[in-house]
Amino acid sequence: LGGPDSLAAVEGFLYNLFSDPDIFKLPLGFLTQKPFARLISRRRAPEASVGYAALGGKSPLLENTRKQAQALQQALGADAYDVIICMRYWHPLTDAVVAGMKAQGYERVILLPLYPHYSRTTTGSSYNAFMRECQRQHYQPRVSLIRQWYDNEAYQQAIVDDIRPSAQALPDADPAHIELLFSAHGLPQKIVDAGDPYEQHIRATYEALRAEIARSHPGFS
């Protein structure tokens, strides 16, 4: 997704977000999308800036993603793969990343979105943006997409493994007195009705986690 790297970048980040036709489909979008994005981003920037100020004046996403990229690079082996970060709505943006990859002559690209669950508004938008830039820049690598990984056992186990130490840090660590609340981003109903699988993926993740927690952490409700 990306995030602003300063408070001054908040409005520009929001403008890029609201300009995305995979999230906001407007009538006559080629005429109305950018004015709409400009208006909404100006109105929302002051409120959003308060939140980013509480985080230290910027989004932590890029720094965290760099750590993930370094860990993945080490796991894959430096001689086998190059791990490159690409953000959807703030730097490093897709156009610059594609230009750099083209200049380096990469012939094969594996896209690994950091969204475990597929939605056209997240993974779909990121994939579309990458392919549009490849076409615009006359760059034709062989592209593979890891579409979703919510059902990956290691991903689900990592969530489960984080529950016990978090529970033990509570004043009352008795599982019988603890309730787990699962939350996720929502989607407009019209996107779900159009066949977006995100809600199904979230529900499947919840059911898998619930079953594993019941098996490995008896007592949690």
Side-chain angles (χ1 to χ4, degrees):
L1 182 71
D5 49 17
S6 69
L7 294 181
V10 171
E11 184 174 327
F13 164 75
L14 292 176
Y15 174 80
N16 291 339
L17 173 65
F18 290 115
S19 295
D20 186 352
D22 287 310
I23 299 180
F24 304 97
K25 289 187 178 295
L26 303 178
L28 299 176
F30 66 97
L31 291 176
T32 60
Q33 192 86 40
K34 290 185 177 180
F36 163 79
R38 190 172 296 109
L39 175 64
I40 297 298
S41 60
R42 286 176 179 172
R43 288 184 175 180
R44 292 285 298 276
E47 178 184 354
S49 295
V50 173
Y52 285 113
L55 294 174
K58 64 179 182 178
S59 167
L61 277 177
L62 181 56
E63 181 180 352
N64 291 340
T65 305
R66 283 174 174 156
K67 294 177 181 179
Q68 291 176 299
Q70 291 169 0
L72 181 58
Q73 181 78 75
Q74 184 176 2
L76 294 174
D79 296 333
Y81 295 89
D82 290 332
V83 180
I84 300 170
I85 296 172
C86 182
M87 296 293 193
R88 181 67 184 92
Y89 302 117
W90 203 245
H91 306 287
L93 290 166
T94 309
D95 56 350
V97 173
V98 169
M101 295 175 69
K102 179 181 179 181
Q104 291 293 320
Y106 290 105
E107 296 180 355
R108 185 184 180 196
V109 177
I110 300 173
L111 299 179
L112 172 60
L114 295 187
Y115 308 104
H117 314 83
Y118 180 87
S119 173
R120 84 176 198 204
T121 63
T122 52
T123 296
S125 172
S126 300
Y127 174 78
N128 291 340
F130 186 86
M131 299 307 294
R132 282 195 300 266
E133 276 302 319
C134 286
Q135 183 178 18
R136 188 181 71 83
Q137 298 188 34
H138 306 289
Y139 176 43
Q140 298 179 327
R142 290 185 295 127
V143 178
S144 301
L145 171 66
I146 299 177
R147 193 172 185 268
Q148 69 242 356
W149 42 278
Y150 69 92
D151 53 353
N152 181 276
E153 291 184 4
Y155 164 66
Q156 295 182 355
Q157 192 62 48
I159 298 175
V160 173
D161 290 345
D162 196 44
I163 290 174
R164 184 176 294 279
S166 299
Q168 290 175 344
L170 295 174
D172 183 354
D174 183 353
H177 299 158
I178 298 174
E179 294 186 359
L180 299 177
L181 175 64
F182 294 81
S183 66
H185 288 289
L187 283 179
Q189 187 63 45
K190 63 180 181 181
I191 294 180
V192 177
D193 292 342
D196 193 288
Y198 172 79
E199 181 183 1
Q200 299 173 19
H201 292 178
I202 290 292
R203 291 183 181 276
T205 303
Y206 163 72
E207 294 297 344
L209 294 176
R210 185 179 180 185
E212 178 57 26
I213 291 168
R215 184 192 70 79
S216 60
H217 297 62
F220 280 107
S221 61

